[in-house]
Amino acid sequence: MAAFQRALVVANAAGAPESANAVLQRFGITTVATAATPNDALQLLRGQEFDLFIAPMQSLDAVDLAAFERETRRHSTMLVIGTAPVAEADLILRAVRAGVQEFLVYPPDAKELSAAIDRLLRRRGDDGPRGRLIAVYGAKGGIGATTIAINLAFSIARLVSTGRVALVDLVASGGDVCTLLGLKPAHDLSLLASKGDALDAELVRATVTPADGGVWVLPSPMDPEAGESVTGDVVQALLEQMRTSYAHTVIDVEHWLGERSVAALDAADEIVMVTQLDVSSLRRTQRVLTVFRRLGYGDDKVRIVVNRAHDADLLSLTDAREVLFAPIEFTIPNDFRGCADAATRGRPMVLSAPSSGVAAAVTQLARDVAGLPTNGKSGAPLRATRLGRLLRRTS
Ligand SMILES: Nc1ncnc2c1ncn2[C@@H]1O[C@H](COP(=O)(O)OP(=O)(O)OP(=O)(O)O)[C@@H](O)[C@H]1O
Ligand SMILES: [Mg+2]
């Protein structure tokens, strides 16, 4: 994979510097040099190497364009984006002749810039090392799996500056990731399912929708009937492609164990198993863990996360650990208002309420699944309860 670390940006050609720099960073850019004018940029290009060059095109006359072309030709591996306030055909043509590979209307927003860089890297055939797949599985419906999957993906995107992060909504019969993020996607999973053997990384990248916050979302089928076309084989092929384009892919998995979910759980490097401290959730979790063991998943593949942990829970973490014969290192606090606010605003809590308990707990989980050092895992007080002892006897 060719280097992609140094960018040169002329004035504000990439849009507002803060959001542009955040986008560049997500693609692995570590150094952003700025030049006040195109001519200053050309001077810099004479003495230094850059992997990406973003310049305004509207102010360049014929002489400037010739100098521009000379430099883009000399830096043959440098990717070049040109911007101008109006997408005028003649200007675009001159820009392309001068070596511009992507043209954006000025000022590009974060999503447009991100999509343009993605296209350039794709064309260059840049596929990084194999990415990791993290499946989020709810022990039963309504337990908070989607909430955790969304927050986990955005949290990883905040924590990890190199490599891209994707969120796949694999709840094929009516997933709600897009609703919770306020996205109106152009394509969804059914497009991939309809392509059969033609499902490749390029098609996947053309199907995903970028969301503010640096996460690429692959929506579930908008038409629930189309969900049937998403077979286990489609899931397997899809996730294999996700690994080639994204450093981390978080998957919201259906909570019943059908062929789609088993294909996702099989492929996953890590399973985040969401449960709650009540009898029915723990019983269901117990059964699912038995199935997981039969499917051959090692205990180190599964992280049990207790959601909606509350001081008034009748069962304790000690009960849950003893009933499940498994460690529980993460708890997410109960925060009805915070979750409802985030859903209304279409922004995950890790972005809209970063100082909340939910955001802090998900960040710990994200650090762990992304392989970053954690500063202690989140846990609730230990105590065994009478109800827990009863549950153990009957399990
Ligand atoms: N930690 C939490 N505190 C309070 N409410 C929560 C928490 N986590 C999730 N919720 C709420 O619980 C409800 C169900 O959450 P969510 O949709 O994430 O669950 P799910 O397991 O994906 O459900 P489904 O079976 O519908 O897919 C939502 O209203 C959500 O806001
Ligand atoms: Mg869900």
Side-chain angles (χ1 to χ4, degrees):
M1 185 166 71
F4 196 66
Q5 288 169 348
R6 289 170 54 82
L8 173 58
V9 181
V10 180
N12 287 338
E18 204 176 295
S19 73
N21 286 349
V23 170
L24 296 176
Q25 200 187 24
R26 280 202 303 278
F27 281 96
I29 295 281
T30 50
T31 310
V32 181
T34 47
T37 65
N39 277 328
D40 291 350
L42 295 181
Q43 286 291 342
L44 278 175
L45 281 170
R46 277 174 204 127
Q48 296 181 44
E49 292 298 323
F50 292 96
D51 307 308
L52 174 69
F53 179 31
I54 306 179
M57 303 311 296
Q58 72 277 14
S59 55
L60 303 183
D61 62 21
V63 177
D64 295 334
L65 278 171
F68 194 102
E69 188 191 345
R70 217 172 17 252
E71 290 311 318
T72 57
R73 214 180 269 211
R74 216 163 56 78
H75 298 266
S76 58
T77 58
M78 181 173 72
L79 303 179
V80 187
I81 297 177
T83 65
V86 186
E88 197 235 317
D90 198 40
L91 178 74
I92 297 175
L93 189 64
R94 278 185 283 133
V96 169
R97 285 194 183 130
V100 165
Q101 297 146 337
E102 276 284 335
F103 181 87
L104 293 173
V105 173
Y106 174 86
D109 67 20
K111 280 186 200 169
E112 290 160 348
L113 179 62
S114 189
I117 298 174
D118 189 55
R119 282 194 296 274
L120 286 174
L121 290 174
R122 204 183 329 150
R123 264 182 248 147
R124 195 170 79 167
D126 254 23
D127 288 329
R130 279 167 65 78
R132 293 183 70 73
L133 303 175
I134 304 135
V136 180
Y137 183 79
K140 61 177 197 174
I143 211 161
T146 303
T147 304
I148 291 177
I150 290 175
N151 279 284
L152 190 56
F154 283 82
S155 185
I156 295 173
R158 267 169 54 122
L159 291 167
V160 181
S161 54
T162 51
R164 282 166 289 166
V165 177
L167 173 60
V168 176
D169 188 348
L170 215 50
V171 182
S173 54
D176 38 23
V177 166
C178 284
T179 315
L180 289 170
L181 291 176
L183 296 176
K184 295 200 169 39
H187 303 296
D188 63 51
L189 201 46
S190 58
L191 175 70
L192 301 180
S194 67
K195 295 287 177 179
D197 290 346
L199 197 166
D200 59 10
E202 173 111 20
L203 184 64
V204 171
R205 283 182 290 204
T207 309
V208 295
T209 294
D212 284 341
V215 172
W216 300 78
V217 178
L218 181 51
S220 63
M222 281 165 263
D223 169 9
E225 280 185 16
E228 288 313 305
S229 60
V230 185
T231 60
D233 287 346
V234 168
V235 170
Q236 196 185 5
L238 160 71
L239 295 179
E240 197 45 43
Q241 296 302 341
M242 296 307 290
R243 283 188 194 278
T244 68
S245 309
Y246 301 91
H248 300 273
T249 299
V250 177
I251 313 152
D252 185 8
V253 181
E254 283 156 326
H255 60 78
W256 52 92
L257 284 168
E259 68 167 314
R260 276 190 294 267
S261 17
V262 172
L265 295 167
D266 273 349
D269 299 288
E270 275 133 27
I271 300 172
V272 171
M273 166 91 177
V274 184
T275 188
Q276 289 185 13
L277 290 180
D278 60 69
V279 173
S280 111
S281 302
L282 289 184
R283 277 205 192 288
R284 176 85 184 121
T285 307
Q286 221 175 17
R287 280 188 224 125
V288 172
L289 288 179
T290 308
V291 177
F292 281 4
R293 283 170 194 138
R294 260 194 253 136
L295 288 168
Y297 306 160
D299 287 348
D300 55 345
K301 177 164 168 168
V302 184
R303 280 170 181 70
I304 300 174
V305 176
V306 167
N307 190 26
R308 307 193 73 162
H310 199 277
D311 282 347
D313 282 327
L314 291 177
L315 292 164
S316 71
L317 275 184
T318 305
D319 298 327
R321 286 178 184 127
E322 290 182 7
V323 171
L324 302 177
F325 298 112
I328 301 175
E329 288 160 332
F330 297 95
T331 59
I332 315 274
N334 187 51
D335 183 353
F336 175 75
R337 178 175 285 265
C339 288
D341 273 3
T344 313
R345 288 200 228 172
R347 269 176 84 68
M349 282 183 82
V350 290
L351 300 184
S352 62
S355 53
S356 62
V358 169
V362 174
T363 303
Q364 287 303 311
L365 177 63
R367 296 188 72 88
D368 197 53
V369 293
L372 300 169
T374 53
N375 33 8
K377 297 178 181 176
S378 59
L382 301 181
R383 66 197 155 81
T385 64
R386 280 186 58 209
L387 188 56
R389 286 195 288 275
L390 204 64
L391 184 62
R392 279 195 293 286
R393 276 210 294 276
T394 56
S395 61

